[in-house]
Amino acid sequence: MIDWCGIDTVLLDMDGTLLDLHFDSHFWLEHLPRRYAELHQLDVASQEKLRARIIGEQGTLNWYSLAYWSRELGVDIVALKREVQHLIGLRSDALDFLTWLKQAHPRVVLATNADRASLALKLPLTGLESYLDAIISSEDVGAAKEEQAFWFALQEREPFDPARTLFIDDNAHVLESAREFGIKHLLGIKQPDSQRPEKELQEFIALDRFAQLLPSNLPGQHSETLGGR
């Protein structure tokens, strides 16, 4: 369990941590390739090529930029996302966790690689914003969370003590970057996408549910063991 007396700041990822990653997985790997081929009247093989191209940008600012993909592919990415926005949803008990943090705890900052266009789509649909003290996008600082530059920029904008900070993210590379920066309390997510198998995080404790983090003496709470490493 987390010793909440030792935590001043909670940094939270969005996609795959607070939100079910199913929307993004479906959009980027299924919906976009299909609609791209339809709009440009291309064959099925073009869909596989686009998937490979998208995956090739993984971990970079381009990977997360809707403007980049709109420009590169000649399509309106935001409009295409709206076609399947009904798939956008919170993970499991994320709202309960956010409610508890808001009532009982520290500064809560959304630290996301999602660009501002993605945030503009998802925040109104999920209501996340009302539970957050600040939102920092990699687009704001010009570096993805996989890079050390992101963390230095984040600390300038939202000063925090790495030794008294909890960061939760579903991406192992991002967690590794946060650990390199010196953030002490790091947790992953076992199943970021509800429609896909659980992920193995070799070096980080992974959560099944956020309830595992809450004090065991809360009404209705039971002591649970954190999901495997």
Side-chain angles (χ1 to χ4, degrees):
M1 303 297 290
I2 292 292
D3 177 8
W4 287 104
C5 293
I7 303 294
D8 295 328
T9 304
V10 177
L11 303 176
L12 297 170
D13 172 50
M14 184 172 69
D15 301 314
T17 298
L18 294 177
L19 303 186
D20 190 337
L21 195 61
H22 175 56
F23 167 78
D24 294 278
S25 301
H26 175 75
F27 177 79
W28 292 105
L29 300 180
E30 304 297 334
H31 189 69
L32 176 58
R34 183 176 65 252
R35 295 288 284 120
Y36 171 75
E38 290 173 358
L39 291 168
H40 292 290
Q41 299 182 332
L42 301 172
D43 59 21
V44 175
S46 67
Q47 297 183 40
E48 281 303 321
K49 291 179 181 178
L50 179 53
R51 288 189 191 97
R53 183 177 176 185
I54 290 170
I55 292 170
E57 293 285 356
Q58 193 166 6
T60 70
L61 277 182
N62 286 343
W63 162 268
Y64 302 106
S65 172
L66 304 195
Y68 171 82
W69 292 111
S70 292
R71 183 173 63 252
E72 289 292 305
L73 303 181
V75 298
D76 186 339
I77 295 292
V78 174
L80 293 182
K81 279 198 164 196
R82 290 195 181 280
E83 292 178 354
V84 289
Q85 68 179 24
H86 61 280
L87 297 177
I88 296 172
L90 290 157
R91 283 189 65 255
S92 176
D93 56 350
L95 193 59
D96 291 338
F97 181 50
L98 288 169
T99 299
W100 181 79
L101 286 175
K102 188 176 180 68
Q103 293 173 345
H105 210 262
R107 189 158 183 81
V108 179
V109 177
L110 190 71
T112 178
N113 273 327
D115 67 3
R116 286 289 167 177
S118 290
L119 288 167
L121 173 65
K122 293 176 177 179
L123 292 178
L125 294 174
T126 59
L128 283 178
E129 199 162 7
S130 62
Y131 297 91
L132 305 168
D133 295 304
I135 298 172
I136 303 295
S137 162
S138 59
E139 182 182 34
D140 301 336
V141 302
K145 288 188 293 184
E146 288 86 342
E147 305 171 48
Q148 288 298 289
F150 175 89
W151 302 103
F152 283 102
L154 174 62
Q155 194 171 49
E156 284 186 10
R157 290 170 177 245
E158 286 290 326
F160 64 92
D161 178 356
R164 296 181 61 83
T165 295
L166 168 65
F167 175 50
I168 308 176
D169 198 292
D170 67 299
N171 186 321
H173 297 297
V174 170
L175 290 169
E176 288 166 4
S177 181
R179 180 171 60 187
E180 182 181 345
F181 183 74
I183 295 177
K184 181 178 179 180
H185 306 280
L186 300 167
L187 293 171
I189 299 293
K190 261 193 171 184
Q191 191 177 23
D193 184 331
S194 63
Q195 305 303 307
R196 294 178 179 237
E198 293 181 354
K199 296 197 314 182
E200 289 291 331
L201 290 178
Q202 298 296 330
E203 299 184 26
F204 302 97
I205 292 174
L207 294 172
D208 278 322
R209 293 174 56 81
F210 290 110
Q212 296 168 275
L213 299 181
L214 303 186
S216 58
N217 60 352
L218 286 181
Q221 293 296 326
H222 302 282
S223 178
E224 300 180 52
T225 302
L226 289 175
R229 286 185 177 275

